Amino acid sequence: MVKTYLGKMKGSPVSRKTPCWRDAVWSWLGAFLGMAGVGWLSAQSLQTHSLLMVGSFGATSVLLYAAPESPLAQPRNVLFGNLLSALCGVLVWKLLGDSWVAAAVAVSTSILLMQLTHTLHPPGGATALIAVIGSGELHSLGWSYAFFPVATGCLLMLLIAVLINNLARHRRYPLHWW
């Protein structure tokens, strides 16, 4: 039994294709425009602080622009996974404060919610965590954190993902909306 268990950790050899530089350039362009759009919108809306630049948007960019075919990168997952996670994080912060226990509760509960609603989006865990461990300025947003910056930023990045990913002949995004 132990041998079988440990054998699972061995892994197996992997073969990788040569990376396609054209695909990498499309990914770079999408990520640049997505994050630049979020940054610009943030600068226009919040003159004193770039709260719209939520850290989890970096990971969302990887999925949207470098792995657009992933089930975790589809619009339902991106928008609702992040939105549910943000709401979960704010609720946990309001109930438990910003302790390590609250951080663990927020992340694990957001995963549970995303799995139960078929909206799993890995950056959602970070979105929930940020709601708990964020700055006083972020905490002052309260429930609106889920809608601005999180949902607004996701919608903007999704729009850019639809536009950019479909310019390349070999890409199609989204694979499904709902």
Side-chain angles (χ1 to χ4, degrees):
M1 186 165 86
V2 172
K3 185 177 180 180
T4 302
Y5 175 71
L6 293 175
K8 291 180 180 182
M9 298 175 202
K10 184 178 176 184
S12 58
V14 66
S15 65
R16 293 183 177 95
K17 295 185 227 173
T18 303
C20 173
W21 68 269
R22 287 182 184 98
D23 200 40
V25 170
W26 281 111
S27 299
W28 179 90
L29 180 63
F32 175 79
L33 291 174
M35 292 306 295
V38 169
W40 178 83
L41 183 60
S42 181
Q44 301 308 308
S45 305
L46 304 165
Q47 298 297 324
T48 59
H49 196 290
S50 295
L51 283 174
L52 189 55
M53 296 296 270
V54 178
S56 58
F57 286 169
T60 294
S61 291
V62 172
L63 288 167
L64 282 174
Y65 309 115
E69 70 287 346
S70 169
L72 307 173
Q74 300 311 302
R76 171 189 172 97
N77 298 68
V78 172
L79 180 60
F80 294 111
N82 270 316
L83 182 61
L84 282 172
S85 295
L87 291 168
C88 176
V90 171
L91 177 64
V92 170
W93 174 76
K94 286 183 174 287
L95 294 174
L96 302 176
D98 61 359
S99 68
W100 63 267
V101 172
V105 169
V107 172
S108 59
T109 305
S110 71
I111 292 169
L112 175 70
L113 289 171
M114 288 187 288
Q115 282 187 301
L116 293 176
T117 59
H118 300 284
T119 59
L120 190 62
H121 183 63
T127 301
L129 180 62
I130 291 164
V132 172
I133 66 169
S135 67
E137 192 171 359
L138 186 138
H139 288 150
S140 71
L141 292 175
W143 296 107
S144 66
Y145 164 74
F147 303 99
F148 189 88
V150 173
T152 305
C154 286
L155 287 170
L156 179 60
M157 289 192 305
L158 282 166
L159 173 66
I160 291 169
V162 169
L163 296 174
I164 293 299
N165 284 326
N166 289 308
L167 285 175
R169 290 183 184 174
H170 66 289
R171 289 187 180 211
R172 178 177 161 242
Y173 184 81
L175 298 181
H176 52 84
W177 284 95
W178 194 249

